[in-house]
Amino acid sequence: MAARHLVDRRTALLGSAAGLLGLAGVSGCGVSGSPVGATSGAVRTAEAARRRAGQRVVSATLTARPATLDLGGRVVQTWAYGDTLPGPVLRARAGDLLRVRVDNALPVETSVHWHGIALRNDMDGVPGMTQDPIAGGARFLHEFTVPDPGTYFYHPHTGVQLDRGLYGALVVEDPAEAGGYDEEWVLVLDDWVDGTGRTPDGVLDGLRAGSAERGHPGMGHGSMGMGGGMMTATLGGAGDVDYPYYLANGRLPSAPDVLTARPGQRLRIRLVNAGADTAFRVALAGHSLTVTHSDGFAVRPQDTDALLVGMGERYDIAVTLGDGVFPFVAVAEGKSGSARSLVRTSGGSVPPESLRPGELDGRLLSGTDLVADEGVRLTRRSVDRSHDLVLAGSMAPYRWTINGDTFEDAAPLAVRAGERVRLRLRNASMMFHPVHVHGHTFALATGGARKDTVVVRPMDAVDVELDATNPGQWAAHCHNVYHAESGMMTTLSYRT
């Protein structure tokens, strides 16, 4: 999020004495007291409890810098981590200490958020809320324990930088997992506009100026959150930006990334939607998909033909491979275009780029259809505290809110450590919103999957529950980066 939205709270939320005094006595839903700042003893104590003697240390360096990237015949100027898109895959085991130095070679400040990780609050990478931004020419050392296995990713939490090339996958392996896979494929989806004559900042400026209503090419328009013409029966308003390109592992459909394997092999796909404004409907031609994990946590395995993936969601998918060359297609739901990769298990010819797998029109699964594996279900207990999050907004003016307020005016969602907290997500707009909560995983209150990002459809509601066991100040927001940057964000605020 932009510094202008956060600076007014920065001193208080980072835990300085002046800021804490300023918020002391503030109450929310019956919670009074001071906020537990990111630099507080409670945050350090929680991290110390995660660490073990002999803990393995995994070190890496990320350099955010201007880059010239070839998307597969289309060269763009953008920002990236090094010279690859996506950035490097970082790998660790559950319980490892991850130590990542971030060098900022950009002309502006930046940050790195570790999406989905229940890490220490002062390493969460939200400028003004958990730490200062990383200035141009400066560096920051992220050091935290990764407690849970799963598929995660990293990206900035500064302005709309996520909609450039600044993202990559983080894979946390489970030392106790039995395995059973012959191949693994990390597949990152993205919607792309940077370096095509527009930048994400220019797109946001256009949305705010209402240029979409004046027919500016490539943008949605309308009111109550409906993208102009970008509609889908599954999600309602499908987004605000009609992108020129959609990518899979940084490649255009005409020059796809290729996984080479053998017929009969068991493939694990670690799928990440790093898009800023686009949900994807994905399918592998000629195959059924078995979803095994959602947002890092095991689910009761579920077979499907196609899977709907909102921004910020990750899924692990198991596939037994056939004999041939098979396109993996990710259709931009409700928009024009798709991303494409290939799985090759024989020497056959490549199917035409125009091929649309029939599976895309078959059984469709989404995250709210999944059920948590018994081993990761939250224990049964009564709810101690509930908060409503009413999601609303409009295209003119371009303003997105939680409980009627944009972030700078939003009342924090106050909780105390140890509570079972229910968040009642209510969508009062005609556009879908993937809601992401930092520093926690929640459970769908209906007994569904453990997740950290959940799609809330238009005029629909989703109740989720979490255990307040990770002290600090945590962002909760829509993972449409243009909605979040325009106000649809609040704070899950631990209080003493």
Side-chain angles (χ1 to χ4, degrees), residues 126-422:
V126 181
M129 182 177 290
T130 67
Q131 60 208 78
D132 289 327
I134 308 170
R139 64 180 46 164
F140 184 84
L141 183 65
H142 284 269
E143 186 174 279
F144 56 89
T145 301
V146 285
D148 302 307
T151 302
Y152 305 96
F153 79 120
Y154 57 90
H155 62 79
H157 222 279
T158 301
V160 290
Q161 291 182 10
L162 168 63
D163 209 10
R164 296 181 186 260
L166 295 166
Y167 58 83
L170 169 59
V171 174
V172 182
E173 296 166 346
D174 186 352
E177 189 176 60
Y181 300 100
D182 302 299
E183 296 282 349
E184 181 182 275
W185 194 18
V186 178
L187 191 54
V188 185
L189 306 176
D190 189 24
D191 42 20
W192 191 270
V193 68
D194 200 28
T196 66
R198 289 185 287 159
T199 66
D201 293 285
V203 170
L204 179 60
D205 288 344
L207 288 166
R208 287 175 170 166
S211 63
E213 294 194 345
R214 296 193 298 269
H216 189 289
M219 294 185 190
H221 62 277
S223 61
M224 283 300 291
M226 292 189 290
M230 294 187 293
M231 297 290 294
T232 165
T234 55
L235 292 176
D240 299 338
V241 185
D242 192 6
Y243 287 81
Y245 303 119
Y246 299 95
L247 309 179
N249 282 349
R251 306 290 291 179
L252 294 168
S254 56
D257 181 48
V258 180
L259 174 77
T260 301
R262 296 193 303 273
Q265 285 191 316
R266 187 76 165 163
L267 172 65
R268 179 181 197 160
I269 303 173
R270 293 185 181 267
L271 185 67
V272 178
N273 183 355
D277 182 76
T278 305
F280 290 96
R281 180 188 297 230
V282 306
L284 178 62
H287 293 76
S288 174
L289 308 177
T290 302
V291 178
T292 63
H293 296 73
S294 175
D295 293 353
F297 282 74
V299 298
R300 189 180 300 164
Q302 181 70 49
D303 295 335
T304 189
D305 297 311
L307 176 65
L308 191 62
V309 188
M311 300 86 82
E313 290 189 300
R314 295 93 54 214
Y315 291 95
D316 288 14
I317 302 166
V319 180
T320 300
L321 296 175
D323 188 353
V325 184
F326 308 99
F328 184 99
V329 177
V331 171
E333 186 75 3
K335 300 183 180 184
S336 300
S338 61
R340 178 174 180 256
S341 294
L342 294 177
V343 176
R344 176 181 287 278
T345 64
S346 72
S349 60
V350 175
E353 185 182 336
S354 59
L355 176 68
R356 177 186 171 93
E359 287 80 4
L360 288 167
D361 301 312
R363 296 169 296 173
L364 180 64
L365 192 69
S366 64
T368 50
D369 299 324
L370 297 168
V371 177
D373 180 85
E374 291 294 336
V376 300
R377 283 178 177 259
L378 287 184
T379 56
R380 293 185 179 276
R381 57 173 287 189
S382 60
V383 173
D384 300 300
R385 192 168 309 280
S386 296
H387 287 288
D388 290 324
L389 285 80
V390 179
L391 314 170
S394 65
M395 296 292 289
Y398 196 72
R399 180 177 184 268
W400 297 93
T401 63
I402 295 179
N403 295 337
D405 291 317
T406 54
F407 177 67
E408 59 268 26
D409 298 320
L413 310 174
V415 301
R416 289 197 193 281
E419 291 181 331
R420 170 66 56 86
V421 178
R422 174 169 285 192

Side-chain angles (χ1 to χ4, degrees), residues 52-129:
R52 299 289 182 268
Q55 184 180 36
R56 192 177 74 143
V57 177
V58 176
S59 298
T61 299
L62 296 174
T63 301
R65 65 177 184 84
T68 302
L69 299 179
D70 185 350
L71 307 181
R74 180 67 159 93
V75 177
V76 295
Q77 304 295 320
T78 186
W79 298 344
Y81 295 118
D83 57 1
T84 65
L85 183 69
V89 176
L90 303 183
R91 289 185 178 272
R93 293 195 303 253
D96 286 351
L97 182 70
L98 190 61
R99 184 177 289 156
V100 182
R101 192 183 80 188
V102 178
D103 292 330
N104 184 9
L106 298 173
V108 298
E109 61 190 31
T110 191
S111 57
V112 177
H113 166 57
W114 307 92
H115 183 108
I117 300 291
L119 76 173
R120 56 186 296 167
N121 190 225
D122 57 345
M123 295 290 153
D124 191 46
V126 181
M129 182 177 290

